[in-house]
Amino acid sequence: MTDPSPDQIERGQIQDGQIKDGKIQDAQITELRTAIDAIVRMFKIGDDIAAGTAAKLNPSDVQTLLFIGTHDLCTGTDIAGFLGVVPTTASAIIERLVKRGLVVRNRTEANRRIVQLSLTGDGRAGHKPLA
């Protein structure tokens, strides 16, 4: 899609969701602001938590921490779906976070095969500025 020309803007020949009357639509501004906030949070949590760990977190680790922080007692399958990765990849990410002491695994009493995830104190400390 090409950018609209000034003539198109002036004549109102722009489709919905683009620029209308020379102004960006409110929905676009809101969507852009939400995306920018998510990016800022992703890097902020990575920096905050990395300050207390030996190595920086990669983006998928950060996204996983954000997800677990807002979806307490989620499962590896939930994380795989959120990240759009296969369950084995999600398991590797979870394992890294468990080894760093940021995430803890809990087995449910009703079904011991189900492993629920939650943040540790250190994981919550890194997630807290984002909440």
Side-chain angles (χ1 to χ4, degrees):
M1 176 189 301
T2 61
D3 290 336
S5 71
D7 282 348
Q8 288 176 312
I9 293 171
E10 192 172 307
R11 291 185 302 226
Q13 295 175 333
I14 306 303
Q15 297 174 356
D16 287 342
Q18 291 181 328
I19 299 173
K20 201 173 225 174
D21 297 326
K23 297 180 182 175
I24 297 176
Q25 301 298 301
D26 288 342
Q28 290 174 316
I29 292 170
T30 302
E31 187 177 330
L32 180 60
R33 187 172 289 139
T34 301
I36 290 170
D37 288 346
I39 291 168
V40 169
R41 282 193 314 269
M42 179 176 70
F43 285 105
K44 183 175 180 181
I45 192 170
D47 291 344
D48 290 347
I49 293 174
T53 59
K56 280 196 162 220
L57 298 173
N58 65 45
S60 48
D61 291 350
V62 171
Q63 288 300 312
T64 301
L65 279 175
L66 287 170
F67 185 82
I68 295 170
T70 56
H71 299 87
D72 196 37
L73 302 179
C74 62
T75 65
T77 303
D78 298 331
I79 292 170
F82 171 72
L83 295 175
V85 298
V86 295
T88 54
T89 300
S91 292
I93 294 167
I94 294 164
E95 182 61 25
R96 279 195 305 269
L97 296 174
V98 167
K99 283 183 179 180
R100 290 183 179 175
L102 302 173
V103 172
V104 64
R105 292 182 182 109
N106 303 300
R107 294 204 181 269
T108 64
E109 290 301 319
N111 185 344
R112 301 289 294 163
R113 294 175 295 167
I114 296 174
V115 177
Q116 296 175 321
L117 305 166
S118 55
L119 297 179
T120 63
D122 289 343
R124 278 190 300 279
H127 186 270
K128 187 176 180 179
L130 305 175

